[in-house]
Amino acid sequence: MFVDPPFKWKKEEAERMKEQTPAPAPAELPLDKEEIDARRNHRNAYMEAREAVELEQKELKAVHEQIGKEIREMCRPEIDEYVDCCVGRVFTLLQCKPYAFRLRRCIAKVETPEFVSRRTKELLAEREANGESILNNATKGTTRERRAMYNRAILSNVEDTEDMLIKKPEPQLRKAPGQ
């Protein structure tokens, strides 16, 4: 049994084909600089921030999917054992319980808050540097500089990955046992 599908979705293939097409040059803007500034000054600040937050959430979703794939890869033997136990059984609860405990233990051991936050920062920086980011994608022609021309809530240059996030993550406090 497969945990991940053995085939690629057609949507992913179509996105790859789009990425291979050359991006328009930044000099070929549909409007001149004065018109862009005039329209940007008439935009609602809330809507600009909302658009930036939505783009940020899409970026974090893509990063979390990548982290999930990495964690599944690290716990692949436990996942395979559990799936092998479940296949062909009607009542799997009691028979496969030890495998489920091992699987949960492996995921809990690997997926710590420190690991997830560290990996999120690393992947955000990596995607930003490679141009794979939703906010900074040179192949699609949606660079940070170009987005910043139209939206004040998006920074044109980012040195630290913490600066990329509009909504700062709240620190997660660990609960003491028994609470």
Side-chain angles (χ1 to χ4, degrees):
M1 207 53 169
F2 296 105
V3 175
D4 298 323
F7 52 87
K8 295 290 181 192
W9 292 96
K10 292 180 182 177
K11 180 179 174 184
E12 291 176 6
E13 293 173 9
E15 286 177 5
R16 268 197 224 104
M17 293 301 291
K18 267 196 241 178
E19 288 176 3
Q20 292 175 356
T21 59
E28 300 173 9
L29 295 175
L31 303 170
D32 59 343
K33 183 75 171 142
E34 294 80 26
E35 182 68 24
I36 290 172
D37 289 339
R39 289 186 182 187
R40 188 172 83 170
N41 289 335
H42 292 303
R43 288 185 75 185
N44 185 348
Y46 172 78
M47 297 306 287
E48 286 186 342
R50 187 69 231 153
E51 177 188 12
V53 168
E54 286 178 9
L55 290 172
E56 174 187 301
Q57 287 173 346
K58 286 181 184 178
E59 183 73 24
L60 285 175
K61 182 179 177 185
V63 167
H64 289 312
E65 285 176 5
Q66 178 65 31
I67 292 172
K69 286 179 185 176
E70 291 175 5
I71 290 172
R72 282 193 300 276
E73 228 14 78
M74 290 177 195
C75 294
R76 179 67 63 193
E78 288 83 2
I79 292 172
D80 289 342
E81 287 175 358
Y82 180 69
V83 169
D84 288 343
C85 177
C86 290
V87 170
R89 293 186 194 267
V90 177
F91 300 106
T92 62
L93 185 63
L94 296 175
Q95 290 291 328
C96 300
K97 202 170 189 177
Y99 298 110
F101 283 141
R102 279 189 226 129
L103 174 60
R104 275 191 247 134
R105 194 178 317 127
C106 176
I107 291 174
K109 182 176 73 175
V110 172
E111 190 181 20
T112 61
E114 295 84 22
F115 171 77
V116 172
S117 64
R118 179 181 53 85
R119 222 28 215 141
T120 300
K121 288 178 188 175
E122 290 172 0
L123 286 174
L124 282 173
E126 181 181 315
R127 288 173 59 90
E128 184 79 18
N130 293 343
E132 299 170 355
S133 170
I134 293 172
L135 285 172
N136 189 24
N137 195 328
T139 57
K140 292 184 180 178
T142 56
T143 61
R144 271 192 174 280
E145 294 80 23
R146 190 163 181 177
R147 283 189 187 273
M149 285 174 49
Y150 293 95
N151 190 334
R152 285 189 206 108
I154 297 176
L155 297 173
S156 59
N157 294 329
V158 176
E159 287 89 30
D160 186 19
T161 55
E162 289 295 317
D163 293 339
M164 284 190 253
L165 303 177
I166 290 176
K167 292 173 70 176
K168 303 290 186 213
E170 295 179 15
Q172 295 179 351
L173 301 175
R174 288 201 125 153
K175 293 182 180 178
Q179 286 185 343

